Amino acid sequence: MRWKKGLISLMSLTVVTSLALTGCSDQEASNKNGETVEPGENFNATGFPVVDEKITLTVKGGYNQTNGAKWNEKKLIQQIEEKTNIHADWQLTPVQGWGDKQNLLLAGGDLPDVMLNLNLGNITKYGAQGALIPLEDLIKKYAPNLSRIFEEYPAVRRLVTSPDGHIYILPRVDMSPVEISPGNNLWINKEWLKNVGMDMPTTTAEFKKVLEAFKTEDANGNGDPNDEIPFSFIWGDSGGRSNSGLVGAIYGSFGIVNTRRENTLVVDGKVKYVPIQPELKKGIKYLHSLYAKGLIDPEVFSQESPQYVAKLSAKTPKVGVFAGAGPASMVNSDSKWDYTLINPPLKGPSGSQIKASQFYYMNRRAIAITSANEHPAATIRWLDQIYDPEMSWKFRYGPNGIKQLDNGKWKITPPEEGYNPAEWQYKESPVNDFAYAITPDMAENLIYPDVPHAKSMEKRPEFLNRVKEYFHREWKFPLILYSAEELDELDRYKTDIQNYAQQTE
């Protein structure tokens, strides 16, 4: 069968990436006709504004619902325009449809000046074909903030360097120590625990007993013993990982983690395909034992994020345990802080307590400049302002969500009444739909105030200190950009493999 051949191919994949970090040429850049684009008299190589007479760049990308599409109304975008004299015409698409739209744009050649959040395969493919321009020479010459980051943190440069040695994409990174912990955790209603007279579960066996009590003992105290949902999550996952989606946090109790898109880990120097590992199968059997007893929400297979959040936001709490990033923007305001982390991870039957981790928050597909752009030097100077340390703090948290103290440190501030943390961040900044760079030296000066609204609980230093011994960071499959040949092979087999693994799971 095709999927078996593909599985063998994927399992045997080893990544040895030789980066010939050579410049594209002495030219500034080439347009879609292959002609050299030199900066004109309107361009200032240093100082501000970047251009004397205002220019407009068309920018296409995806936006999430909380962010919205009216970016020119955001304070940070206005500040950069005022400083650089460059106006952006944001032609944005809801993130759910952006993947298909970018494919059409790149294939059809109707390119904007700048594109955001490209699919990884498109970066290598259309960079090599000339639709995306190499950026390394432009960065070296006109982007001091990015140049400094690449020099001080070579891992960031490697992150965005394609196998042909060129840089076609600009990154979005947060290298704060707390960012090694992904927002995929189990949250339990501590008031329900009190109501059923039980302590915080520490093992998978205790967790099962708690869920049984939530199901039968009127845990929410409204007089109806049959309206509680002991455990809910979203089973499907749009990120291309295991189909178990948010509940993947449970697998650490059985000796494995599964957070990479390729469903792969590197253990003792060998690549392992997670869905065929016996540890994962033990975790699935455990989940089945919960489902068979009615302890798992039967809608986990059909609900999507809006329905999930609506369920968690019910005026009277209906869910005892949920999986996800945290209660800050998911749970009704009257009860959201009734939920707390199950921390440290649940201990499994064999004593396993592995916590999933990541390579900080590093996104290698944030911003690209296309060959249609007639102002590449001005564009890279415009984009470089995002990577100024002060601007990066503000792009990351919103200028209203962080402030600099007299001692030079930065402090996260809580949202105003009527806003959840995500809405407050996105009010004046595009945040994760655009770009920023928080480096480790910057992170040393970040203060997390002791209020739950400041940031999701699992991202705070006190949480990290309690779980860092359970991380197996050496297991992480490396963050790389594949060659065109590797992408072709992956595309040939990946769908069949994933479908088979998901159906079996």
Side-chain angles (χ1 to χ4, degrees):
M1 292 177 65
R2 241 177 95 196
W3 70 264
K4 287 185 178 179
K5 295 178 181 177
L7 181 58
I8 294 171
S9 175
L10 185 61
M11 285 285 295
S12 63
L13 175 65
T14 58
V15 182
V16 181
T17 306
S18 176
L19 300 179
L21 298 176
T22 56
C24 56
S25 69
D26 293 332
Q27 301 170 349
E28 295 298 339
S30 297
N31 64 17
K32 58 187 175 183
N33 297 318
E35 300 165 340
T36 301
V37 179
E38 301 284 356
E41 294 182 358
N42 189 40
F43 172 73
N44 298 311
T46 59
F48 295 97
V50 172
V51 291
D52 296 319
E53 295 182 13
K54 181 168 289 190
I55 62 173
T56 296
L57 302 174
T58 58
V59 185
K60 294 188 178 183
Y63 70 91
N64 70 65
Q65 185 176 3
T66 303
N67 196 359
K70 298 180 179 179
W71 289 16
N72 279 324
E73 296 180 3
K74 296 179 184 290
K75 185 180 296 183
L76 278 185
I77 298 298
Q78 295 171 357
Q79 289 177 359
I80 287 184
E81 177 172 342
E82 182 178 349
K83 183 177 182 180
T84 63
N85 209 22
I86 296 174
H87 176 76
D89 177 13
W90 305 98
Q91 300 177 13
L92 304 174
T93 299
V95 67
Q96 294 85 353
W98 171 234
D100 291 337
K101 187 166 186 177
Q102 69 174 268
N103 292 340
L104 293 173
L105 289 170
L106 289 163
D110 183 18
L111 299 173
D113 295 309
V114 176
M115 296 183 74
L116 309 180
N117 296 309
L118 294 174
N119 295 335
L120 291 177
N122 286 338
I123 297 169
T124 301
K125 178 179 179 180
Y126 290 101
Q129 292 182 8
L132 309 178
I133 66 171
L135 302 176
E136 58 269 16
D137 285 352
L138 290 168
I139 292 169
K140 183 178 180 179
K141 196 168 184 178
Y142 300 119
N145 292 309
L146 264 171
S147 295
R148 173 185 54 81
I149 293 168
F150 286 172
E151 181 178 350
E152 295 179 2
Y153 300 97
V156 179
R157 180 172 185 133
R158 291 195 297 269
L159 178 78
V160 293
T161 302
S162 291
D164 64 4
H166 288 305
I167 295 173
Y168 300 110
I169 201 82
L170 301 182
R172 176 171 63 251
V173 298
D174 189 341
M175 300 172 74
S176 305
V178 294
E179 293 296 334
I180 67 173
S181 177
N184 187 350
N185 298 282
L186 300 179
W187 300 81
I188 190 167
N189 192 312
K190 56 190 178 185
E191 296 301 313
W192 284 27
L193 281 173
K194 292 179 184 177
N195 292 343
V196 299
M198 300 187 77
D199 296 325
M200 177 69 68
T202 60
T203 68
T204 52
E206 292 175 0
F207 182 63
K208 188 173 185 178
K209 290 180 180 179
V210 165
L211 296 181
E212 290 172 341
F214 285 175
K215 180 177 174 62
T216 60
E217 298 183 24
D218 188 24
N220 63 7
N222 69 343
D224 183 352
N226 299 310
D227 69 340
E228 287 85 357
I229 300 171
F231 187 16
S232 189
F233 46 87
I234 295 176
W235 181 260
D237 182 271
S238 60
R241 306 175 186 87
S242 164
N243 203 40
S244 54
L246 292 179
V247 81
I250 204 76
Y251 293 137
S253 301
F254 296 88
I256 203 161
V257 292
N258 194 25
T259 59
R260 292 291 300 137
R261 290 180 180 273
E262 293 84 359
N263 289 324
T264 50
L265 296 175
V266 180
V267 182
D268 297 329
K270 296 181 179 179
V271 177
K272 289 194 174 185
Y273 185 60
V274 173
I276 63 172
Q277 303 306 313
E279 295 88 351
L280 186 94
K281 297 177 183 180
K282 291 177 182 177
I284 293 172
K285 288 180 179 179
Y286 173 75
L287 289 172
H288 171 70
S289 74
L290 302 182
Y291 190 83
K293 286 182 170 288
L295 306 179
I296 288 178
D297 183 356
E299 294 183 352
V300 297
F301 301 107
S302 58
Q303 66 185 354
E304 296 184 1
S305 183
Q307 294 77 30
Y308 186 47
V309 173
K311 189 175 293 182
L312 293 172
S313 299
K315 187 173 182 179
T316 299
K318 299 292 185 182
V319 178
V321 178
F322 72 92
S329 57
M330 298 177 69
V331 180
N332 180 277
S333 296
D334 294 334
S335 61
K336 63 184 175 183
W337 303 120
D338 291 345
Y339 289 87
T340 189
L341 277 167
I342 295 180
N343 181 32
L346 295 170
K347 184 179 293 186
S350 63
S352 178
Q353 281 180 283
I354 299 173
K355 171 69 178 171
S357 64
Q358 60 191 18
F359 294 113
Y360 303 109
Y361 175 72
M362 302 179 76
N363 186 299
R364 57 232 162 129
R365 57 191 187 92
I367 308 173
I369 300 176
T370 76
S371 59
N373 192 311
E374 297 181 355
H375 310 282
T379 303
I380 202 71
R381 286 208 65 204
W382 174 66
L383 293 171
D384 191 54
Q385 302 315 302
I386 303 169
Y387 298 100
D388 171 81
E390 179 177 344
M391 293 302 289
S392 276
W393 279 127
K394 293 177 179 179
F395 269 96
R396 174 69 179 90
Y397 292 101
N400 48 333
I402 194 167
K403 68 177 181 178
Q404 191 169 24
L405 306 180
D406 292 339
N407 60 5
K409 293 183 179 294
W410 291 85
K411 183 176 182 178
I412 299 172
T413 57
E416 288 183 356
E417 186 174 353
Y419 290 89
N420 66 42
E423 292 169 342
W424 190 237
Q425 283 184 319
Y426 280 104
K427 183 175 185 293
E428 302 294 354
S429 170
V431 194
N432 289 335
D433 287 342
F434 203 31
Y436 48 76
I438 306 300
T439 59
D441 62 312
M442 292 168 62
E444 291 177 359
N445 292 313
L446 181 62
I447 298 173
Y448 292 80
D450 191 24
V451 293
H453 304 73
K455 199 167 176 6
S456 295
M457 194 183 305
E458 85 284 355
K459 296 293 188 183
R460 294 171 60 161
E462 59 267 34
F463 165 79
L464 182 65
N465 289 335
R466 291 184 64 186
V467 299
K468 59 185 179 183
E469 65 182 284
Y470 304 109
F471 290 134
H472 284 253
R473 298 191 68 200
E474 72 279 5
W475 285 10
K476 302 304 295 177
F477 193 80
L479 291 165
I480 61 169
L481 287 170
Y482 291 104
S483 68
E485 293 77 15
E486 289 168 336
L487 285 170
D488 286 343
E489 187 169 9
L490 286 169
D491 289 344
R492 191 178 309 128
Y493 300 117
K494 184 166 60 176
T495 300
D496 285 348
I497 296 171
Q498 286 182 346
N499 287 343
Y500 178 81
Q502 291 171 1
Q503 291 164 8
T504 305
E505 191 175 6

